Amino acid sequence: MASATPTTTPSSNKKEIVTEVPPYIRVLSDGTVERLIQIPFVPPLLDDPKTGISSKDIIISHSPPISARIYLPKLTNEKEKLPILVYFHGGSFFLGSPFSQWFHDYINSYLAPQGKFIVVSVEYRLAPENPLPACYHDSWDALKWVASHSDNKTTVNTEPWLIENGDFDKVFIGGDSAGANIAHNIAMQAGAEALPGNVRVLGALLCHPFFYGSENVLDPEVDSSILAWKFVYPSAPGGIDNPMINPMSAGAPSLASLGCSKMIVCVAGKDQFKLRDRGVWYYEAVKNSGWHGKIELFQEAEEDHCYHVLHPETENALKLNKLLASFLQE
């Protein structure tokens, strides 16, 4: 997350930069969106010889366009039932994809091999082409699609791995950074709206969640998190205190209505986007809300934002990923 200050160029013959979040993304005067950080896409792989994980790409919906990459571990038997994690990637709501090398390598090589569970990594629509709340709608639709496999009565584009091997008593949601923000908002929606087949979300894992608010902000004109939020959701009611980004704001619904039974919140002590304190406040707010679930806080004091995704081979990243896998299989 960085500056989203509007910039202009004096030449009438050149495309002008209308708004930007340097060094990540900018929008030009002709409407072109330029993503300045390019992360290569990589293909899925059946029966990866290094990990034993199989992956493939699936279509959830054509309108709106929602897809995913699904991961299945090597099975003990063909009818083995496994927990399901519906995963939402990070990237400030304007970058990232399940098909990118970052997130594929993270899940395929570091998270999924830590245990036995299915992962559905969701490709939601990105801002600014699709401003928020589009990503929340897509993510809820993806979770409903997964849940619909529990009785397979209304499923469109059915997925055999879910039908044959999914344990719908053990459905989890989770993500990192913006994806963790999405997971929170989906948990809130799951507390207010029933899923197909009466499936319930068992747990949520929130790693370095992108929460923010106007409290203690010295200069909102240069605060990168505020400017990034304005970039992805310019019409947000309440601005940076909209409940979707500030679940502790005065107008936010009670956290007691979270629609899951357990949760783990992970923070990094040296988070460059200063999200550590917000994550801790969120943990305390949930714990004191009257919510009847079980919540856990995990902090790695000497690490930066999303270290477990960006540097998954490190000792601390391996420790966190083992913890997350354990959470999914308790």
Side-chain angles (χ1 to χ4, degrees), residues 1-328:
M1 283 161 262
S3 171
T5 306
T7 308
T8 58
T9 308
S11 171
S12 59
N13 297 322
K14 291 182 63 177
K15 297 177 183 177
E16 298 180 345
I17 298 174
V18 177
T19 186
E20 61 180 334
V21 184
Y24 306 110
I25 190 170
R26 61 191 178 197
V27 180
L28 305 182
S29 55
D30 67 349
T32 301
V33 177
E34 293 185 343
R35 288 178 170 83
L36 306 177
I37 294 181
Q38 297 294 323
I39 309 166
F41 280 21
V42 293
L45 182 62
L46 292 175
D47 197 15
D48 187 322
K50 293 182 179 179
T51 67
I53 305 294
S54 290
S55 59
K56 62 181 176 180
D57 295 341
I58 55 178
I59 299 295
I60 293 175
S61 166
H62 291 284
S63 181
I66 310 168
S67 55
R69 180 162 292 179
I70 186 170
Y71 298 82
L72 182 74
K74 191 174 290 293
L75 300 172
T76 305
N77 65 75
E78 291 184 358
K79 298 300 181 182
E80 187 174 5
K81 295 297 185 180
L82 304 173
I84 303 166
L85 169 63
V86 181
Y87 190 84
F88 310 112
H89 68 81
S92 298
F93 304 103
F94 56 70
L95 289 176
S97 168
F99 315 129
S100 70
Q101 188 168 26
W102 273 358
F103 292 104
H104 175 76
D105 286 355
Y106 167 60
I107 294 174
N108 182 70
S109 300
Y110 294 96
L111 179 60
Q114 299 294 339
K116 296 194 77 172
F117 43 85
I118 297 169
V119 182
V120 179
S121 184
V122 178
E123 173 84 326
Y124 53 82
R125 288 173 293 168
L126 298 177
E129 297 93 334
N130 298 280
L132 273 61
C135 70
Y136 299 121
H137 298 326
D138 293 353
S139 299
W140 178 247
D141 285 347
L143 178 60
K144 288 198 297 182
W145 176 82
V146 169
S148 72
H149 287 77
S150 62
D151 57 18
N152 201 28
K153 293 179 180 177
T154 59
T155 310
V156 178
N157 302 320
T158 56
E159 172 46 51
W161 288 358
L162 290 173
I163 295 171
E164 295 168 9
N165 302 113
D167 184 344
F168 292 93
D169 290 326
K170 297 180 180 178
V171 173
F172 294 81
I173 55 177
D176 60 279
S177 193
N181 171 292
I182 292 173
H184 157 75
N185 282 289
I186 296 306
M188 292 297 293
Q189 191 159 358
E193 183 178 336
L195 287 165
N198 291 318
V199 169
R200 296 181 181 275
V201 176
L202 178 57
L205 54 91
L206 277 59
C207 291
H208 312 161
F210 181 16
F211 295 139
Y212 221 69
S214 60
E215 309 94 333
N216 302 320
V217 173
L218 297 178
D219 189 349
E221 296 303 316
V222 298
D223 187 295
S224 61
S225 293
I226 291 179
L227 296 173
W229 178 250
K230 289 180 178 179
F231 181 83
V232 300
Y233 198 177
S235 65
I240 198 63
D241 288 316
N242 183 282
M244 288 181 167
I245 189 71
N246 186 359
M248 290 83 78
S249 65
S254 172
L255 294 170
S257 63
L258 281 163
C260 57
S261 299
K262 62 178 185 174
M263 177 181 289
I264 183 169
V265 179
C266 306
V267 297
K270 294 186 176 180
D271 193 310
Q272 63 180 299
F273 301 117
K274 298 179 174 58
L275 301 181
R276 180 262 176 197
D277 289 350
R278 295 274 170 182
V280 174
W281 296 344
Y282 174 80
Y283 161 78
E284 295 288 351
V286 172
K287 191 169 65 171
N288 297 322
S289 69
W291 178 61
H292 295 299
K294 176 184 176 183
I295 188 166
E296 176 183 355
L297 177 68
F298 176 81
Q299 176 175 204
E300 197 65 68
E302 298 301 316
E303 291 290 354
D304 199 354
H305 189 68
C306 290
Y307 65 93
H308 63 300
V309 175
L310 301 177
H311 308 288
E313 73 288 349
T314 62
E315 181 180 352
N316 284 337
L318 292 171
K319 180 172 70 173
L320 175 54
N321 288 320
K322 286 180 180 178
L323 176 67
L324 297 177
S326 175
F327 177 80
L328 295 170

